[in-house]
């Protein structure tokens, strides 16, 4: 982050425009001493002499080292490079001289004098003004050491010289009226300086105030005789005589209008900065760097959604950097997205820009190409900052780029302007929660926010970190001092009213979004995007994909994808990962509002149903790839397989996890229980493989209610079985048993008693885990007896595998090993990955409990590989955990740590462990199995 040091006035250090607090007069003194010698090394002995002075002692060198360390500690977090560098014998400040106001002042003054000598009055005037604008008071104020006062006197003399040289330039341009007003105080403050006295006399004489000019001479003479005992110099005396004689030589040698030097409109076209500006430190640093020294023209595009603060940031940075541009700052609002105002055409914009540069009326070429050429010619040698605010697109911008290598251009736009040649890009996002609350505090009043901090945080959240929304609520609170923040929070919490609340005077979030949406309607290439936006508002999904958008609209995939990309370019959606897009909450409210305005109820319902069926069919496709149980069937006809390989299905599943839950919740709240229940059932196996199924408990409860209302007894029984499974893996065994026993009743009610096998199996697993082994064996034997081997040929292997765990817990190791080995041979014939993996995993458990560690390692290694190949992440985590335990017992500690780490990583990915819990587990010398591992058989 670029630092600035201001030596005019009390020393100040700024980081991204914000002050950095320095304490201790020696720290301030050392920093000032180094800053005045920017670009050069300062010997340590020189610093000690200048700062410690006569108090220099044997410890001074050590004290200097401490001061340098403290300065580095204070300034380091605000700089990308070491701010104070150690060099042989001393130190050097690691800042460009232009980042220190005194050096920038001297450079600008030198350039001004050079331009003046070369007869370029306009440039000299701009440079003198830029230099004098840096002056903020006595240099090194509050510093009393000899070197500081000496340097302060030198800089003050330089200021006076610059001021007087500028006065000469202005007098030559006929600006005598303003010069007379400016110099009067200067002459009173410095009565012994003859040059400004002469300038004031000449200015007054040319302004027709000859008597006052003669009085200035008499006052100057009286002071010089009284204090110095000498008469004024020859030049002042001759000027006095010439004024007395009304010598024509004192008149201007050329008409003033031919020697125009001042272009204040170019230098100060910026809108006012806002005192409430908050945060954006990284963005400010990016822009300040872009406006700094560089070889050639630098163009920077700041893009982002409407109301995000692009213009405010740009104006804020431009105010801080304006002094660096000796030809000034031009600001132009192009109205690319201003509600109710047409965007400027390039020709209109060029007319404004040329007017800022001094051309007007007939002098501006009527032809756009000629106007652009004239603009480039006028800026070819300029040191100019051009701000093109609120641009619509690249076609509007291209003719407005200046030609000068010393120029800098800042462009704000909702469009990223990605095809603009050689541009740097800054994407502006929302404020985080803390910064949004600080902005609200500055807008509405710190006392009100301190009085209701929780309501303030909630308001900031409901505004989504959008500065425009925060400005509106701030204005509402200022206008209604009788309101509490809680009153406003209640209004904002109602999503159906929020956009109404976020409208005040000429500020409105709805209008800001609408202008971008309406512009899409106007473009042939944007009409699909304009049509898609309200449709997306119908979906309660966290992100949107081309596939879902295609289903929503009935379009081909490529057309839906192009529409989403156009919405992103218009900043009406934001990227949310590969092939995923998301709304800001406020844009989503607008989209839903427009859907209800623009579409019939039937159109809305049909579009939503198409998306829910998209997720239903795709999820069932994944489900059938993972589990071939023939009794599980999708309630609608499945299309051709979406995925060719299991890895593709897993990638889709991982990318769509949150959307699948949200889609199922929306379906459950809708009018179609068949789709809703079908989605809930379809999620079980894909989510179980990933270890996510424990997130489905609440969803299953609501799906059971939906199945009950639809009298879908088979679905209700299946959902209860799955809910019992979830409770089992959460370690909530009592609730699991209750659900599974109810499921047994539901299966009988559905007239499908043989389908009770799954619930009986899970009851056997739970009773095994809690140590009720005889009951466990009874449940498993009942399931084996009940199963229809023709209908579900793979079920006996599952049941026998669960029985292995009962056997070895009963101490029947030989039977357990024999059963597991037989399953290792049998299961690959029906399920060569998950089934075979489960058999090896169970065999590993038997060996582990029997103390046969090497054989356990072999079995767990095979199981982990097979589970990995089948994408069964939860069981892979279990196998790797116990593999690590076996390796540890074999004193292969490095290998053990690797396997425990892999297991924990899989559990974190499944959100079964937090990163903090994972760290705590792995910090143990011999880690205890985490709870998700303990909950598995």
């Amino acid at each position: 982050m670029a630092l600035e040091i201001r030596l005019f006035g009390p020393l100040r250090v700024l980081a991204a425009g914000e002050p950095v607090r320095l304490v201790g007069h020696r720290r301030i003194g050392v920093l000032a001493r180094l800053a005045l010698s920017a670009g050069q090394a300062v010997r340590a002995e020189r610093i000690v002499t200048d700062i410690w002075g006569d108090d220099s002692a044997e410890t001074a060198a050590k004290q200097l080292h401490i001061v340098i360390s403290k300065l580095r500690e204070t300034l380091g977090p605000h700089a990308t490079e070491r701010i104070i560098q150690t060099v042989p014998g001393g130190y050097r400040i690691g800042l460009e001289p232009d980042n220190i106001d005194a050096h920038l002042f001297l450079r600008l003054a030198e350039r001004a004098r050079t331009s003046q000598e070369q007869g370029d009055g306009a440039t000299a005037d701009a440079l003198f003004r830029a230099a004098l604008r840096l002056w903020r008071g006595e240099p090194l104020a509050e510093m009393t050491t000899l070197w500081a006062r000496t340097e302060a006197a030198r800089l003050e003399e330089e200021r006076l010289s610059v001021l007087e040289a500028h006065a000469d330039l202005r007098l030559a341009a006929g600006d005598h009226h303003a010069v007379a007003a400016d110099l009067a105080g200067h002459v009173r403050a410095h009565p012994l300086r003859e040059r400004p006295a002469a300038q004031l006399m000449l200015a007054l004489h040319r302004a027709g105030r000859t008597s006052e000019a003669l009085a200035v001479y008499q006052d100057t003479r009286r002071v010089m005789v009284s204090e110095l005992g000498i008469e004024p110099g020859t030049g002042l005396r001759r000027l006095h005589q010439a004024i007395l004689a009304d010598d024509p030589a004192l008149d201007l040698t050329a008409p003033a209008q031919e020697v125009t030097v001042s272009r204040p409109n170019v230098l100060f076209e910026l809108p006012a900065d806002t005192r409430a500006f908050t945060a954006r430190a990284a963005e400010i640093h990016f822009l300040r760097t872009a406006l700094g020294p560089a070889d050639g023209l630098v163009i920077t595009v700041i893009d982002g959604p409407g109301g995000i603060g692009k213009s405010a940031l740009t104006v804020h940075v431009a105010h801080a950097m304006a002094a660096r541009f000796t030809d000034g700052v031009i600001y132009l609002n192009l109205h690319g997205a201003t509600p109710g105002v047409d965007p400027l055409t390039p020709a209109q914009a060029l007319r404004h820009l040329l007017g800022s540069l001094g051309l007007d009326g007939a002098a501006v070429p009527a032809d756009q190409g000629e106007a652009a050429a004239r603009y480039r010619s006028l800026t070819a040698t300029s040191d100019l900052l051009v701000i093109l605010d609120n641009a619509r697109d690249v076609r509007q911008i291209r003719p407005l780029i200046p030609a000068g290598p010393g120029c800098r251009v800042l462009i704000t736009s909702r469009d990223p302007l990605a095809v603009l040649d050689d541009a740097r890009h800054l994407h502006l996002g929302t404020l985080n929660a803390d910064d949004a609350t600080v902005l609200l505090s500055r807008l509405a009043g710190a006392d009100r926010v301190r009085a209701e901090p929780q309501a303030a945080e909630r308001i900031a959240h409901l505004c989504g970190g959008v500065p425009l929304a925060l400005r509106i609520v701030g204005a509402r609170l200022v206008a209604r001092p009788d309101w509490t923040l809680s009153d406003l929070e209640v209004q904002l919490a109602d999503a159906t009213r929020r956009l109404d609340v976020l409208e005040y005077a000429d500020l409105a979030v709805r209008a800001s979004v609408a202008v971008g949406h309406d512009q899409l309607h106007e473009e042939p290439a944007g009409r699909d995007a304009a049509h898609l936006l309200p449709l997306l508002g119908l979906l309660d999904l966290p992100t949107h994909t081309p596939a879902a958008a295609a289903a929503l609209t009935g379009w081909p995939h490529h057309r839906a994808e192009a529409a989403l990309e156009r919405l992103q370019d218009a900043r009406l959606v934001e990227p949310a990962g590969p092939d995923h897009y998301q709304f800001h909450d406020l844009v989503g409210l607008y989209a839903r509002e427009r859907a209800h305005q623009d579409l019939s109820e039937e159109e809305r319902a049909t579009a939503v149903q198409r998306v829910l069926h998209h997720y239903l069919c795709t999820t069932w496709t994944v489900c059938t790839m993972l589990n071939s149980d023939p009794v599980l069937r999708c309630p609608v006809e499945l299309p051709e397989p979406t995925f060719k390989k299991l890895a593709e299905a897993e990638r889709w599943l991982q990318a769509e996890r949150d959307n699948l839950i949200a889609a199922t919740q929306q379906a459950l709240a809708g009018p179609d229980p068949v789709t809703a229940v079908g989605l809930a059932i379809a999620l079980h196996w894909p989510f179980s493989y990933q270890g996510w199924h424990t997130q489905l408990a609440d969803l299953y409860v609501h799906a059971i209610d939906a199945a009950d209302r639809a009298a879908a007894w088979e679905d209700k029984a299946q959902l209860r079985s799955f809910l019992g499974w979830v409770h089992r893996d959460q370690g909530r065994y009592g609730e699991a048993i209750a659900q599974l026993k109810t499921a047994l009743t539901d299966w009988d009610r559905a007239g499908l008693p043989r389908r009770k096998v799954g619930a009986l199996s899970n009851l056997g697993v739970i009773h095994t885990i809690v140590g009720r082994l005889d009951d466990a064996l009874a449940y498993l034997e009942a399931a084996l007896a009940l199963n229809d081997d023709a209908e579900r040929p793979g079920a006996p292997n599952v049941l026998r595998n669960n029985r292995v765990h009962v056997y070895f817990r009963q101490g029947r190791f030989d039977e357990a090993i024999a059963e597991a080995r037989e399953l290792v041979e049998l299961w690959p014939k029906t399920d060569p990955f998950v089934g075979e993996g489960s058999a090896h995993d169970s065999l590993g458990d038997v060996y582990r409990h029997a103390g046969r560690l090497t054989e356990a390692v072999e079995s767990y290694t095979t199981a982990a590989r097979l589970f990995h190949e089948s994408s069964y992440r939860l069981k892979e985590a279990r196998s790797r955990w116990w593999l690590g335990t076996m390796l540890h017992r074999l004193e292969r500690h490095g290998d053990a740590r690797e396997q425990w780490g892999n297991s924990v990583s899989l559990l974190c990915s499944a959100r079964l462990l937090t990163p903090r819990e994972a760290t705590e587990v792995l910090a143990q010398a011999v880690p205890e199995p985490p709870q998700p591992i303990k909950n598995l058989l």
Side-chain angles (χ1 to χ4, degrees):
M1 188 179 299
L3 284 175
E4 285 184 80
I5 297 178
R6 294 183 177 176
L7 301 175
F8 295 152
L11 184 141
R12 294 185 70 201
V13 178
L14 301 179
E18 296 295 323
V20 178
R21 185 168 178 265
L22 283 180
V23 294
H25 69 278
R26 283 180 173 158
R27 293 181 200 176
I28 293 171
V30 168
L31 184 61
R33 183 67 185 82
L34 291 171
L36 273 172
S37 299
Q40 302 175 11
V42 184
R43 294 193 62 79
E45 295 87 344
R46 181 75 265 166
I47 299 173
V48 168
T49 299
D50 288 344
I51 306 305
W52 274 259
D54 294 336
D55 295 332
S56 298
E58 294 180 1
T59 60
K62 183 176 181 180
Q63 291 177 37
L64 173 59
H65 180 74
I66 294 171
V67 166
I68 294 291
S69 296
K70 291 296 183 182
L71 285 171
R72 286 170 173 166
E73 184 179 310
T74 301
L75 302 177
H78 305 287
T80 54
E81 297 180 0
R82 194 162 204 177
I83 203 66
I84 298 179
Q85 301 163 356
T86 301
V87 297
Y91 301 95
R92 179 174 57 216
I93 196 159
L95 281 180
E96 290 292 330
D98 277 3
N99 284 43
I100 300 162
D101 59 359
H103 290 281
L104 181 58
F105 173 83
L106 295 171
R107 183 177 72 82
L108 293 172
E110 181 62 30
R111 288 184 60 194
R113 291 189 181 100
T114 300
S115 296
Q116 188 175 17
E117 291 168 1
Q118 294 172 348
D120 186 353
T123 299
D125 176 64
L127 288 163
F128 278 133
R129 290 178 186 274
L132 291 168
R133 199 160 57 244
L134 293 172
W135 199 267
R136 297 178 180 88
E138 178 190 4
L140 305 173
E142 302 177 0
M143 298 179 64
T144 59
T145 54
L146 177 61
W147 80 270
R149 299 326 319 145
T150 301
E151 289 296 327
R154 178 179 68 84
L155 291 168
E156 172 64 16
E157 179 60 32
E158 183 64 27
R159 181 185 76 91
L160 297 177
S161 176
V162 168
L163 191 150
E164 293 159 9
H166 190 211
D168 281 339
L169 182 72
R170 295 169 66 192
L171 284 169
D175 197 18
H176 37 265
H177 293 283
V179 169
D182 292 344
L183 282 180
H186 177 53
V187 169
R188 285 194 299 272
H190 304 277
L192 298 177
R193 293 181 73 88
E194 295 189 37
R195 184 182 182 190
Q199 291 169 329
L200 179 56
M201 290 167 63
L202 180 59
L204 289 167
H205 173 66
R206 287 181 177 173
R209 299 159 62 186
T210 299
S211 61
E212 293 175 63
L214 295 171
V216 170
Y217 176 79
Q218 294 301 331
D219 290 342
T220 303
R221 179 181 180 277
R222 184 171 53 254
V223 171
M224 294 184 72
V225 170
S226 171
E227 295 191 14
L228 303 179
I230 61 173
E231 290 288 337
T234 303
L236 195 61
R237 294 199 308 271
R238 286 178 178 169
L239 176 61
H240 178 235
Q241 291 300 318
I243 292 172
L244 286 171
D246 195 16
D247 188 340
L250 298 181
D251 296 336
L252 284 173
T253 58
Q257 62 268 27
E258 293 183 12
V259 197
T260 301
V261 297
S262 179
R263 292 206 307 265
N265 61 313
V266 173
L267 290 173
F268 296 106
E269 288 195 346
L270 280 173
D273 198 1
T274 172
R275 295 181 62 187
F277 190 87
T278 301
R280 305 291 198 195
E283 293 88 347
I284 289 171
H285 171 61
F286 181 92
L287 293 180
R288 290 175 72 95
T289 301
L291 298 182
D295 295 329
L297 173 69
V298 177
I299 304 168
T300 305
V301 177
I302 304 99
D303 73 88
I308 210 68
K310 303 179 293 294
S311 299
L313 170 66
T314 302
V315 168
H316 181 71
V317 172
H319 271 281
M321 301 291 286
R324 298 178 182 273
F325 295 94
T326 55
D327 289 318
V329 181
I330 296 178
Y331 172 88
L332 180 59
N333 188 342
L334 296 169
H335 294 297
T338 303
V341 179
D342 291 334
L344 294 184
T345 66
Q348 291 170 327
L350 284 165
R351 191 171 298 118
H352 282 278
L353 293 171
L354 290 170
S356 295
L357 294 169
L359 293 185
D360 205 354
V364 177
D367 178 77
Q368 179 180 312
E370 292 178 7
R374 188 68 185 276
Y375 172 64
R376 289 193 296 272
S377 175
L378 288 173
T379 58
T381 60
S382 295
D383 184 18
L384 187 69
L385 172 58
V386 178
I387 296 175
L388 302 173
D389 193 17
N390 196 4
R392 178 162 185 180
D393 53 33
V394 170
R395 288 168 295 184
Q396 185 189 38
I397 284 293
R398 280 201 174 106
L400 313 182
I401 302 300
C407 293
R408 302 289 179 269
V409 185
L410 295 181
I411 305 169
T412 71
S413 178
R414 298 187 184 192
D415 191 303
L417 307 180
V419 297
L420 188 62
D421 295 336
D422 301 321
R424 305 180 185 186
H425 294 269
L426 173 64
H427 173 64
L428 205 59
T430 55
L431 296 173
N432 64 38
D434 290 341
D435 289 339
T437 305
V438 170
L439 178 56
L440 180 63
S441 176
R442 292 181 177 178
L443 292 165
D447 291 342
R448 295 173 84 171
V449 169
R450 279 195 294 268
E452 297 182 87
Q454 292 181 334
E457 291 175 6
R458 179 67 178 153
I459 288 171
H461 172 73
L462 290 169
C463 289
V466 174
L468 173 61
L470 291 162
R471 284 177 61 202
I472 293 170
V473 299
R476 280 187 170 274
L477 289 167
V478 169
R480 294 296 302 269
D482 56 315
W483 279 5
T484 66
L485 268 67
S486 298
D487 293 332
L488 186 59
E489 178 197 350
V490 170
Q491 295 180 44
L492 286 168
D494 183 352
T496 62
R497 295 183 54 206
R498 193 175 308 159
L499 292 180
D500 294 327
V501 177
L502 293 176
E503 185 170 341
Y504 187 81
D506 63 341
L507 301 176
V509 168
R510 181 188 284 112
S512 176
V513 179
V515 69
H517 186 208
D518 292 343
Q519 285 177 350
L520 290 174
H521 280 291
E522 298 167 10
E523 313 171 2
R527 288 172 189 160
D528 277 353
H531 178 73
L532 176 60
L533 181 71
L535 288 171
L536 292 174
L538 297 171
L539 303 178
D540 298 332
L541 304 179
T543 62
H544 303 287
T545 67
L552 183 68
T553 55
W555 296 341
H557 184 281
H558 67 87
R559 183 178 174 186
E561 184 175 35
L564 282 168
E565 283 291 307
R566 187 65 192 91
L567 285 174
Q568 181 182 325
D569 288 342
R571 287 300 179 259
L572 292 170
V573 298
E574 294 295 318
D579 288 332
H580 282 68
Y581 306 81
Q582 64 186 4
F583 275 139
H584 185 279
D585 289 348
L586 299 178
V587 178
L589 290 176
Y590 168 86
R592 176 156 295 193
E593 186 178 87
R594 286 297 299 263
H596 284 267
Q597 293 172 2
D598 300 347
L599 304 171
S600 69
E601 183 176 352
E602 182 181 356
E603 287 173 318
R604 296 196 302 270
T606 301
V608 170
Q609 188 73 350
R610 285 197 299 261
V611 174
L612 296 179
H613 274 199
H614 156 71
Y615 279 111
L616 175 69
C617 293
T618 312
T619 307
W620 270 99
T621 298
V622 178
C623 183
T624 56
M625 293 177 75
L626 296 173
N627 187 290
S628 57
D629 190 340
V631 301
L632 294 176
R633 290 182 295 274
C634 180
V636 299
E637 184 178 352
L638 289 176
E640 290 296 316
T642 310
F643 309 109
K644 295 180 180 179
K645 296 181 180 179
L646 187 57
E648 295 176 28
E650 185 180 21
R651 284 194 296 272
W652 177 85
L653 187 66
Q654 290 173 342
E656 292 281 60
R657 166 166 57 180
D658 294 336
N659 278 343
L660 287 168
I661 293 175
T664 307
Q665 290 169 335
Q666 183 167 1
L668 287 167
D672 179 9
V674 173
T675 298
V677 169
L679 261 170
I681 291 174
L683 291 181
H684 175 75
W685 283 108
F687 272 51
S688 293
Y689 270 53
Q690 297 295 321
W692 306 335
H693 59 302
T694 53
Q695 302 171 32
L696 300 179
D698 290 341
L699 191 149
Y700 283 154
V701 169
H702 291 98
I704 289 168
D705 289 342
D708 192 45
R709 290 194 301 272
W713 310 121
E714 178 182 353
D715 291 337
K716 183 179 178 183
Q718 186 63 72
L719 287 164
R720 281 206 188 278
S721 295
F722 287 161
L723 181 57
W725 185 323
V726 169
H727 286 328
R728 180 200 80 187
D729 286 355
Q730 290 174 327
R732 298 159 64 181
Y733 301 124
E735 295 168 75
I737 289 171
Q739 289 294 335
L740 290 167
K741 286 185 174 179
T742 305
L744 296 177
T745 303
D746 288 340
W747 283 120
D748 286 332
R749 188 174 183 180
L752 297 167
R754 290 187 179 277
R755 295 283 298 280
K756 295 191 288 187
V757 170
L760 289 168
S761 177
N762 269 315
L763 284 166
V765 169
I766 294 168
H767 285 81
T768 302
I769 292 172
V770 300
R772 293 166 59 181
L773 302 180
D774 291 340
D775 290 339
L777 202 56
Y779 279 120
L780 295 173
E781 296 294 352
L784 279 165
L786 190 62
N787 185 65
D788 183 341
D789 292 355
E791 184 182 39
R792 303 178 81 176
N797 292 334
V798 176
L799 296 167
R800 291 177 64 189
N801 187 64
N802 292 340
R803 190 168 62 185
V804 168
H805 289 264
V806 179
Y807 285 166
F808 75 71
R809 282 172 170 80
Q810 291 177 326
R812 299 158 63 180
F813 290 108
D814 290 342
E815 293 172 80
I817 290 171
E819 183 97 284
R821 284 177 173 171
E822 188 173 345
L823 289 171
V824 165
E825 297 297 324
L826 288 174
W827 222 333
K829 298 174 183 176
T830 57
D831 189 351
F833 291 106
V834 174
E836 185 180 359
S838 297
H840 281 285
D841 189 63
S842 296
L843 185 57
D845 286 346
V846 180
Y847 287 143
R848 170 164 59 91
H849 283 82
R852 296 164 64 170
L853 306 185
T854 301
E855 291 164 290
V857 166
E858 292 175 0
S859 293
Y860 284 136
T861 300
T862 302
R865 175 180 58 79
L866 291 167
F867 287 140
H868 180 79
E869 291 173 2
S870 63
S871 299
Y872 207 145
R873 302 302 175 210
L874 183 58
K875 286 199 171 185
E876 180 187 353
R878 181 194 186 280
S879 294
R880 292 195 183 281
W881 182 269
W882 293 119
L883 173 58
T885 302
M886 296 299 94
L887 291 168
H888 177 76
R889 292 183 187 175
L890 290 170
E891 299 188 357
R892 293 169 57 183
H893 301 303
D895 293 337
R897 280 280 161 194
E898 180 181 357
Q899 294 302 326
W900 284 330
N902 291 338
S903 175
V904 163
S905 177
L906 289 166
L907 295 175
C908 285
S909 296
R911 302 180 191 174
L912 296 174
L913 285 182
T914 66
R916 180 177 178 181
E917 289 172 330
T919 300
E920 291 173 352
V921 167
L922 295 176
Q924 301 172 48
V926 182
E928 283 288 316
Q931 195 61 47
I933 299 295
K934 292 180 180 179
N935 292 341
L936 297 174
L937 183 63

